[in-house]
């Protein structure tokens, strides 16, 4: 799950989900705050940051509010841009260029993940330093990624599947939150953007793509 399953009405509570639903969820808003901080540390001169989100994702507003609060604490301005189609992504990046936006933070969203090659390509074309929510973006050529580890989430899901197959009821299994995060930096992209990544930031990374 992405976001808050309680607010979405999927479960009654994290500790006692009720019904037939349980599973693993991620810290969307908290991770957005960390993404802003990492991006600010690497590109402090970018006063205006775009937050790219899918307007059809109900979790987007929670992350957007977290991004706005984090940006305010860092003295940055946030411009929210929405896209839910290929053409809208093109338009969003055209708007970033027009507004002279310096950096980009991507929301946690399946649509954006599926369009990661397009997004990374547009960011490179327009020379916009960006940070995303899954390591796959960095492997596709994105500058940085920070978010929950999908490998850890799949492991947790596997544990739950095993417990259910052994007879435990979903109503007795609390929704767990994946607490393992990954930070990936793509130095090739940094060099292409003319950004020098200091050792202090590289040492924070779980993976550095040379």
């Amino acid at each position: 799950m992405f976001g808050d399953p309680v607010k979405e009405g999927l479960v009654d509570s994290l500790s006692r989900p009720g019904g037939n639903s349980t599973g693993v969820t991620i810290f969307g808003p908290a991770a957005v705050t960390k993404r802003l901080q990492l991006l600010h540390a690497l590109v402090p001169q970018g006063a205006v940051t775009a937050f790219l989100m899918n307007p059809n994702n109900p979790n987007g507003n929670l992350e957007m509010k977290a991004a706005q609060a984090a940006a305010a604490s860092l003295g940055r301005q946030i411009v929210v841009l929405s896209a839910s189609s290929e053409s809208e992504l093109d338009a969003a990046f055209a708007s970033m260029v027009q507004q002279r936006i310096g950096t980009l933070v991507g929301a946690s969203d399946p649509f954006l993940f599926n369009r990661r090659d397009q997004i990374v390509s547009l960011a490179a074309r327009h020379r916009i330093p960006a940070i995303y929510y899954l390591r796959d973006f960095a492997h596709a050529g994105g500058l940085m990624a920070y978010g929950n580890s999908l490998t850890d989430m799949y492991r947790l899901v596997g544990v739950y599947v095993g417990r259910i197959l052994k007879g435990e009821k979903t109503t007795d299994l609390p929704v767990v939150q994946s607490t393992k995060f990954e930070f990936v930096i793509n130095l090739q992209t940094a060099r292409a953007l003319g950004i020098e990544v200091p050792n202090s930031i590289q040492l924070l990374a779980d993976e550095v793509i040379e």
Side-chain angles (χ1 to χ4, degrees):
M1 303 179 191
F2 289 88
D4 190 334
V6 178
K7 289 186 177 180
E8 292 179 44
L10 298 175
V11 298
D12 295 336
S13 70
L14 296 183
S15 59
R16 298 190 65 83
N20 296 316
S21 297
T22 189
V24 181
T25 189
I26 68 170
F27 292 91
V32 167
T33 298
K34 185 64 175 181
R35 277 177 227 140
L36 259 296
Q37 293 170 344
L38 289 168
L39 191 59
H40 179 72
L42 184 61
V43 192
Q45 69 272 22
V48 183
T49 297
F51 179 74
L52 180 63
M53 60 180 285
N54 176 4
N56 299 323
N57 187 334
N59 298 312
N61 287 330
L62 294 175
E63 292 198 355
M64 177 188 69
K65 292 177 181 178
Q68 290 171 331
S73 69
L74 295 169
R76 299 175 83 109
Q77 178 185 347
I78 279 281
V79 174
V80 179
L81 297 172
S82 300
S84 59
S85 68
E86 182 177 346
S87 60
E88 288 178 354
L89 283 173
D90 289 332
F93 274 88
S95 179
M96 290 182 215
V97 174
Q98 184 179 21
Q99 297 183 63
R100 297 183 178 181
I101 288 173
T103 54
L104 166 67
V105 174
S108 306
D109 180 77
F111 165 73
L112 298 181
F113 178 76
N114 290 334
R115 301 302 309 174
R116 61 189 178 280
D117 289 336
Q118 179 189 0
I119 294 169
V120 165
S121 176
L122 286 167
R125 183 188 311 167
H126 298 299
R127 300 184 62 79
I128 300 174
I131 187 167
Y132 308 95
Y133 81 106
L134 289 177
R135 68 185 308 137
D136 304 68
F137 283 90
H139 281 271
L143 176 60
M144 294 189 291
Y146 177 85
N148 286 92
S149 165
L150 285 185
T151 301
D152 184 60
M153 291 181 67
Y154 294 149
R155 180 189 63 80
L156 293 172
V157 169
V159 170
Y160 263 27
V161 170
R163 292 175 65 177
I164 292 170
L165 290 175
K166 290 178 180 178
E168 292 191 56
K169 298 179 180 179
T170 56
T171 53
D172 298 327
L173 297 174
V175 175
V176 295
Q177 294 179 310
S178 176
T179 57
K180 184 176 181 180
F181 293 86
E182 297 176 320
F183 177 36
V184 183
I185 304 171
N186 190 319
L187 291 185
Q188 295 179 8
T189 301
R191 286 192 288 269
L193 293 170
I195 296 173
E196 183 176 347
V197 182
N199 289 334
S200 59
I201 293 182
Q202 291 190 43
L203 289 173
L204 296 174
D206 299 282
E207 180 182 0
V208 176
I209 300 173
E210 298 285 351

